[in-house]
Amino acid sequence: MAMVRLQRAGKRYGDVVALHEVDLSVEEGEFVTLLGPSGSGKTTMLNLIAGMIAPTVGQVFIAGKDATNTPPNKRGLGMVFQNYALMPHMTIFENVAFPLRVRKTPEEEIKKKVAHVLNLVHLPQVANRKPRELSGGQQQRVALARCIVYNPSIILMDEPLGALDKKLREQMQLELKRIHTDLKITMLYVTHDQEEALTMSDRIVLLNDGRIEQMGPPDEMYFKPRSVFAADFLGSSNIWDGTIESDGSATIKSGDKMKVKPEAFAKPGTKLKVMVRPENINVIRQGDDESRFENRVNGKAIDTLILGGVIKHYVQLANDTVIIAQELTRSGRRSLTPGQDVRLAWRPDDSLPLPAVGKIEG
Amino acid sequence: MLERRAQRLAIMFVAPATIFMLAVFLIPLWKVISQSFTTMDGHFTWAGYAELKTSILFAKVMWNTIEISLMATVVTLLFSYPLAYYLAKQPPRRRAYLMVFVLLPFWTSVLVKSFAFMVVLGENGFINQGLRAILGGDLPIKLLFNRTGVMIGMTHYFIPFMVFPILTSLLAQSPDLPKAAQLMGSGAMRIFFKITLPLSMPGVMAGCLLTFILSLGFFITPSLMGGRKDMMMANLVDFYMRETLNWPVAAAIACLLLLLSLAFISLLSRIPGGKSVLGEAG
Amino acid sequence: MGGGEKPVGASVNPWSIFSTVMAWLILLFLMLPSFIVVPMSFGGKFEMMFPPTTFDTILYERFFSTGNWIATTITSFKVAIGATALALLLGVPASYGIVRGTYPGKKIVTLFLLSPILVPVIVLALGMYLYLASFKATGTDLGLIIAHGVLTTPFVIVTCMAGLRHIDANLETAATIMGASVMQSFFKVTLPLLKPAMFAGGLFAFLMSFDEVVVAFFITEASTMTLPVKMYSSIKWEISPILAAISSLLTLLSLVICLVGAAAQKKT
């Protein structure tokens, strides 16, 4: 059953459209991420589901029931905030017990349930402390426990890890994922961080300008973006203007001709964009066998950046076209000297034609 | 609609106070306005305003009020700015302690202040005794029941009102600005006049307007520390109300005072620093 | 600004010397009344001099044994407690509606609720007198409590608005999503967190009402006179040494309220 379903739901404020009519459903036990830049409509969508605002058109269903005009406290949802929103005047125990007290749960049961969920998030020892005595990561785990304890039909998470530093964030991502898998909770996660979306989600909903740009599982979103926006927002990409030739290959701005993955819309003569992920572009060094790669170009090195585990090479083609190639860092692998001639190569399947405007329908 | 529901709830929270204010603040104000057009036996009259138009006493008092308010504002500003500037430069802890010296007078009854000043400034008071001891001679300097007395009392009253907004605008300035200017070779004077002072103008404006508005309606200090010539509009309202029992005239003066204050209040609500004084309405 | 450290090699700033000297003179001037009334209150009975030459507590004894003064003090306490309760009851919910709510005309309503702070007190005093006279209610404690409620409610609103701005609105949202009604979230989440601001606002409202002269002067009668009204006529007509004792007690009250209130406001 769909735990949350938006049916042609949209929101406008006067003349400003915050969210165009969208359809979305989140199935039981699913981990869905709303991804998009700020102003893309993710917060509006979250507020529609949480009941902070009502849609201008369309309907909101929660656990199968029409909840379009149900006030937030009657929706049976859970929510985790970026700043945790733990009640500073209550102990951790009281914080977690709060939703149960509101529901008039018997005291015995409250004690049992609170202890149980604090165990689940590995914090059984903090019950009598105040939130400010806990670290950010601990507070966020308490916030999650506070949701789990009353078994809401879905837990909404509004950039929950945004306030944590990088290390802790990665640790918490795994923790969240574990809890999700163990308890089979339905989660709707909002973030603008594409890496986080790719790591955690069963399904990503990419929003752009108040519309759903594309949705699907992370690998599909990454390997088969249907628009320039999607290709650009998820992962980094080389994107060039190009034209399709009669043999199905594409010529890009630099004059280089390359084989591309066949796509139905890419008929001869079509102006389009060609996208290649930097990690799929290989730098050909002496002795390398380049025959595996049908696409080859020559250019001059501009710069090389070492980013820890990976290296990025910036290479200049003709007509100011720049191409980025990414390799894994290996000791002994030499940086390119600026001005040096470079040969780059990749497979046709890795060069994806994309429509110059709009997206591939389907 | 959910938003409607939220609106209704918010209105429910504001409603009791609003109804209270309508009933016991707005209606009384309306009573003053209607009284200014009503004779003692209940008929419509212009007489209250007509009398003010020709009254020499009223013209004098009106002029007094504006003059005293302006003077009080200027003198208060001259004293408050250096104090605010000094407080702004103190480390936060020390500033918090020093603020007690500003807050205590702010919260001290105006009667206590007036009483204390009357004892100190009197002909045999501490100040005159001191002056006599230093300068010799026997004629006391008149510091009370005249304009000087009113000014001392009012300035003392208003300094905290002026210090708070100026201090706020000084504290809002980035400490890097004067440092940057100093690195670029500006002298202390130049930094003060080109950076600190202009940036604190919103606070100065708000403090001045607030002081001016509050002094327009001042009653206690002129009544206790001023002389006959220092009567202000509020004292004149009292005079017509209690001594000559001429209610329409008293009410007419109150209406004019109200109008004058409202004009400056609307000005205050329009300037940037005024928002903080008016509690950031909206 | 802030931070008192001097840059290395900076010449002594003439402005800072000037402002330091000025500042201390002004602080001295501000504290002058408090510095005077306290020693004076321990001076002799007939002495109206500063500095006093003898030490005596007779003025306090006189104050506490004079029925007239005590009666007015009790009236002032009654009125101030009533006005404070009224201001908190009206002002706290109003500040919540102002800070958290959105509705048409909010700006105007807010400005209206705060306007008694800036309207000349004499106008309000006259208006209250005319208004209460139309019910024959001048000279009642209730009339004065209501009038002081008008003066103190805006103050409680401003204090609580500042307090509410320091409380994360997400806490209320979180409570609502967890199933609490708006009322539950107001009483279980907002009010406990707003306690320090309410406490400070209440103290200041109490002091404002307790010290208020002008409105009380207009609408009370001999039998319901408050302490400040009696002080006012005493200063005006027959300046009495007991005033020094009363002034000292009032200064003490102000000091306590100002310190406790400021500390409470910091806690928010």
Side-chain angles (χ1 to χ4, degrees):
Chain A
M1 181 179 59
M3 293 317 261
V4 164
R5 192 154 63 85
L6 294 183
Q7 189 173 296
R8 304 192 63 74
K11 180 72 185 176
R12 53 164 65 230
Y13 296 96
D15 286 340
V16 184
V17 181
L19 189 68
H20 293 273
E21 290 178 28
V22 294
D23 288 296
L24 172 76
S25 80
V26 181
E27 299 302 317
E28 190 168 357
E30 213 183 359
F31 193 123
V32 173
T33 299
L34 299 182
L35 177 68
S38 55
S40 60
K42 31 184 216 307
T43 306
T44 307
M45 221 155 152
L46 196 72
N47 283 339
L48 280 179
I49 295 167
M52 311 314 291
I53 53 174
T56 325
V57 290
Q59 284 164 292
V60 180
F61 294 88
I62 289 163
K65 284 196 275 292
D66 184 350
T68 314
N69 286 309
T70 309
N73 57 326
K74 302 265 189 275
R75 292 192 176 202
L77 305 167
M79 187 152 172
V80 174
F81 296 80
Q82 179 171 7
N83 61 359
Y84 327 125
L86 296 179
M87 312 299 172
H89 58 300
M90 297 181 189
T91 60
I92 298 304
F93 179 89
E94 283 306 321
N95 263 287
V96 180
F98 184 88
L100 301 176
R101 293 211 194 284
V102 170
R103 287 170 173 72
K104 304 205 161 51
T105 312
E107 199 60 27
E108 285 295 297
E109 212 181 319
I110 290 181
K111 278 193 187 124
K112 258 195 341 224
K113 283 189 164 174
V114 173
H116 176 66
V117 291
L118 285 178
N119 263 322
L120 269 179
V121 297
H122 302 317
L123 287 172
Q125 74 284 7
V126 301
N128 293 318
R129 290 198 222 156
K130 288 282 180 72
R132 64 168 177 279
E133 298 167 50
L134 268 53
S135 72
Q138 288 176 321
Q139 289 191 48
Q140 200 54 291
R141 281 191 275 167
V142 172
L144 186 64
R146 190 174 63 169
C147 286
I148 297 170
V149 79
Y150 62 101
N151 202 19
S153 49
I154 184 168
I155 296 180
L156 311 174
M157 302 195 148
D158 191 1
E159 309 238 359
L161 308 181
L164 304 178
D165 62 52
K166 195 169 185 302
K167 266 225 172 81
L168 199 53
R169 196 159 63 220
E170 281 165 7
Q171 206 180 316
M172 282 298 293
Q173 287 173 2
L174 294 175
E175 178 89 10
L176 277 178
K177 200 62 200 161
R178 175 186 69 81
I179 290 170
H180 170 247
T181 331
D182 285 0
L183 302 179
K184 303 189 173 46
I185 309 169
T186 318
M187 286 187 176
L188 186 66
Y189 195 96
V190 171
T191 184
H192 64 266
D193 180 340
Q194 43 107 1
E195 263 180 59
E196 201 165 279
L198 289 169
T199 327
M200 305 180 69
S201 322
D202 295 328
R203 198 148 56 97
I204 295 175
V205 178
L206 179 63
L207 290 163
N208 178 25
D209 209 11
R211 289 189 173 84
I212 293 179
E213 183 79 15
Q214 184 175 351
M215 58 182 156
D219 54 342
E220 187 187 306
M221 297 290 286
Y222 189 80
F223 293 113
K224 291 180 194 154
R226 291 212 206 102
S227 65
V228 173
F229 177 83
D232 208 29
F233 201 84
L234 283 133
S236 56
S237 351
N238 292 294
I239 298 173
W240 305 295
D241 293 315
T243 316
I244 292 286
E245 306 291 332
S246 52
D247 63 355
S249 62
T251 307
I252 63 165
K253 211 175 114 200
S254 63
D256 293 294
K257 197 172 156 185
M258 59 189 67
K259 291 230 166 108
V260 296
K261 203 173 165 188
E263 276 287 349
F265 81 94
K267 299 188 175 66
T270 315
K271 298 252 186 241
L272 42 54
K273 305 257 184 188
V274 177
M275 188 277 277
V276 188
R277 297 280 183 201
E279 65 268 26
N280 291 332
I281 296 181
N282 301 274
V283 179
I284 304 299
R285 292 185 170 78
Q286 247 177 357
D288 285 354
D289 172 22
E290 59 173 59
S291 61
R292 302 184 284 141
F293 311 110
E294 281 183 66
N295 291 328
R296 288 166 217 144
V297 295
N298 292 315
K300 282 193 189 310
I302 306 174
D303 208 350
T304 298
L305 299 180
I306 302 179
L307 311 166
V310 296
I311 292 189
K312 273 188 176 176
H313 303 291
Y314 290 80
V315 176
Q316 173 107 47
L317 306 182
N319 293 328
D320 293 332
T321 307
V322 173
I323 182 165
I324 305 168
Q326 181 176 304
E327 298 179 302
L328 295 178
T329 311
R330 294 264 182 281
S331 62
R333 189 176 267 174
R334 281 178 47 211
S335 299
L336 302 177
T337 323
Q340 171 191 351
D341 288 323
V342 190
R343 190 162 172 79
L344 301 170
W346 64 93
R347 299 182 313 147
D349 266 3
D350 291 327
S351 31
L352 207 65
L354 292 168
V357 279
K359 55 188 179 189
I360 306 173
E361 300 301 331
Chain B
M1 283 285 282
L2 290 165
E3 286 99 327
R4 286 274 159 73
R5 213 181 96 91
Q7 265 184 19
R8 271 206 310 274
L9 281 163
I11 289 170
M12 211 179 74
F13 276 93
V14 180
T18 312
I19 293 167
F20 175 77
M21 288 295 181
L22 286 172
V24 293
F25 173 61
L26 205 63
I27 296 181
L29 288 188
W30 170 246
K31 283 269 176 197
V32 176
I33 296 169
S34 70
Q35 180 65 66
S36 73
F37 292 107
T38 313
T39 59
M40 296 302 277
D41 47 8
H43 299 293
F44 176 85
T45 182
W46 286 104
Y49 291 95
E51 188 167 334
L52 293 187
K53 219 174 136 186
T54 54
S55 161
I56 299 168
L57 177 65
F58 176 71
K60 258 195 76 173
V61 170
M62 173 105 179
W63 174 241
N64 261 348
T65 305
I66 292 171
E67 194 185 63
I68 292 177
S69 300
L70 275 177
M71 272 173 68
T73 306
V74 171
V75 176
T76 304
L77 175 63
L78 288 179
F79 284 126
S80 303
Y81 202 99
L83 180 55
Y85 183 77
Y86 176 75
L87 289 171
K89 280 197 314 177
Q90 302 310 307
R93 261 189 97 81
R94 197 175 142 84
R95 181 165 56 237
Y97 290 127
L98 288 172
M99 282 310 280
V100 174
F101 294 97
V102 184
L103 282 167
L104 180 60
F106 181 78
W107 285 113
T108 300
S109 159
V110 65
L111 293 170
V112 172
K113 297 173 175 189
S114 303
F115 169 70
F117 278 122
M118 287 171 79
V119 172
V120 177
L121 301 175
E123 298 197 355
N124 287 311
F126 164 58
I127 302 280
N128 263 320
Q129 277 183 350
L131 287 174
R132 234 168 301 170
I134 299 165
L135 302 171
D138 52 6
L139 66 159
I141 303 171
K142 210 163 158 33
L143 297 169
L144 211 54
F145 308 124
N146 59 10
R147 191 58 60 91
T148 317
V150 178
M151 274 304 133
I152 292 173
M154 287 179 77
T155 308
H156 190 274
Y157 187 90
F158 286 122
I159 286 175
F161 285 91
M162 186 80 88
V163 167
F164 295 138
I166 296 178
L167 183 60
T168 307
S169 68
L170 285 174
L171 288 175
Q173 293 178 20
S174 160
D176 295 338
L177 280 174
K179 277 185 199 157
Q182 201 168 30
L183 286 174
M184 287 186 279
S186 296
M189 288 284 196
R190 201 181 169 81
I191 291 173
F192 178 78
F193 284 108
K194 293 280 175 192
I195 298 173
T196 312
L197 186 63
L199 285 176
S200 64
M201 280 324 271
V204 171
M205 291 293 292
C208 285
L209 270 171
L210 184 66
T211 302
F212 188 75
I213 291 166
L214 291 175
S215 49
L216 284 177
F218 234 53
F219 178 78
I220 297 295
T221 307
S223 160
L224 293 178
M225 296 175 71
R228 288 212 160 278
K229 282 189 267 171
D230 305 302
M231 217 184 201
M232 291 178 75
M233 280 168 88
N235 306 108
L236 201 59
V237 172
D238 180 42
F239 174 77
Y240 278 110
M241 198 63 195
R242 287 162 179 268
E243 285 177 32
T244 68
L245 294 176
N246 194 339
W247 289 14
V249 177
I253 299 167
C255 284
L256 291 177
L257 182 59
L258 182 64
L259 210 64
L260 198 62
S261 305
L262 287 180
F264 285 99
I265 292 169
S266 74
L267 195 63
L268 181 65
S269 69
R270 260 154 246 246
I271 63 164
K275 290 235 166 59
S276 61
V277 177
L278 294 172
E280 287 167 58
Chain C
M1 307 204 110
E5 81 272 30
K6 301 252 179 330
V8 183
S11 58
V12 183
N13 179 344
W15 270 112
S16 65
I17 297 175
F18 172 74
S19 83
T20 306
V21 173
M22 277 293 280
W24 278 100
L25 286 175
I26 295 158
L27 286 175
L28 200 68
F29 172 60
L30 284 177
M31 292 302 290
L32 191 67
S34 319
F35 288 156
I36 281 170
V37 293
V38 177
M40 216 164 63
S41 69
F42 290 106
K45 191 161 146 190
F46 302 108
E47 220 174 345
M48 280 292 291
M49 299 285 260
F50 182 87
T53 48
T54 52
F55 179 84
D56 210 329
T57 54
I58 185 141
L59 294 176
Y60 290 94
E61 286 157 28
R62 279 272 296 276
F63 169 71
F64 284 110
S65 61
T66 310
N68 240 338
W69 283 114
I70 292 302
T72 56
T73 311
I74 290 172
T75 308
S76 280
F77 266 108
K78 274 199 292 197
V79 169
I81 289 169
T84 306
L86 188 59
L88 284 172
L89 221 55
L90 297 170
V92 173
S95 66
Y96 184 73
I98 290 169
V99 175
R100 297 287 194 249
T102 44
Y103 45 89
K106 182 174 136 175
K107 263 196 168 154
I108 292 174
V109 172
T110 309
L111 207 60
F112 171 62
L113 289 179
L114 298 181
S115 58
I117 294 182
L118 291 169
V119 164
V121 191
I122 189 80
V123 179
L124 181 68
L126 179 59
M128 275 323 279
Y129 176 78
L130 297 171
Y131 184 57
L132 292 175
S134 64
F135 305 115
K136 308 238 178 303
T138 52
T140 59
D141 287 350
L142 185 65
L144 190 56
I145 287 174
I146 289 172
H148 281 182
V150 172
L151 285 171
T152 52
T153 301
F155 210 80
V156 169
I157 293 178
V158 170
T159 316
C160 289
M161 277 169 73
L164 278 169
R165 291 215 169 90
H166 283 106
I167 298 174
D168 179 8
N170 270 349
L171 294 176
E172 289 150 17
T173 311
T176 321
I177 289 177
M178 284 188 284
S181 66
V182 171
M183 282 300 163
Q184 279 173 318
S185 127
F186 180 69
F187 283 107
K188 297 242 167 81
V189 179
T190 315
L191 280 195
L193 292 170
L194 197 58
K195 249 191 236 153
M198 282 163 53
F199 182 66
L203 280 180
F204 294 149
F206 177 88
L207 192 55
M208 257 177 119
S209 165
F210 195 83
D211 282 345
E212 202 283 328
V213 208
V214 182
V215 175
F217 177 61
F218 262 73
I219 67 177
T220 54
E221 289 160 3
S223 58
T224 56
M225 207 183 257
T226 62
L227 181 64
V229 176
K230 186 158 167 58
M231 280 178 77
Y232 173 71
S233 16
S234 172
I235 298 173
K236 184 115 184 144
W237 307 117
E238 26 109 31
I239 206 155
S240 138
I242 295 185
L243 284 168
I246 300 169
S247 293
S248 300
L249 291 173
L250 284 182
T251 305
L252 183 68
L253 182 70
S254 300
L255 181 67
V256 169
I257 286 185
C258 144
L259 289 178
V260 175
Q265 266 183 318
K266 275 233 176 67
K267 269 181 75 181
T268 325

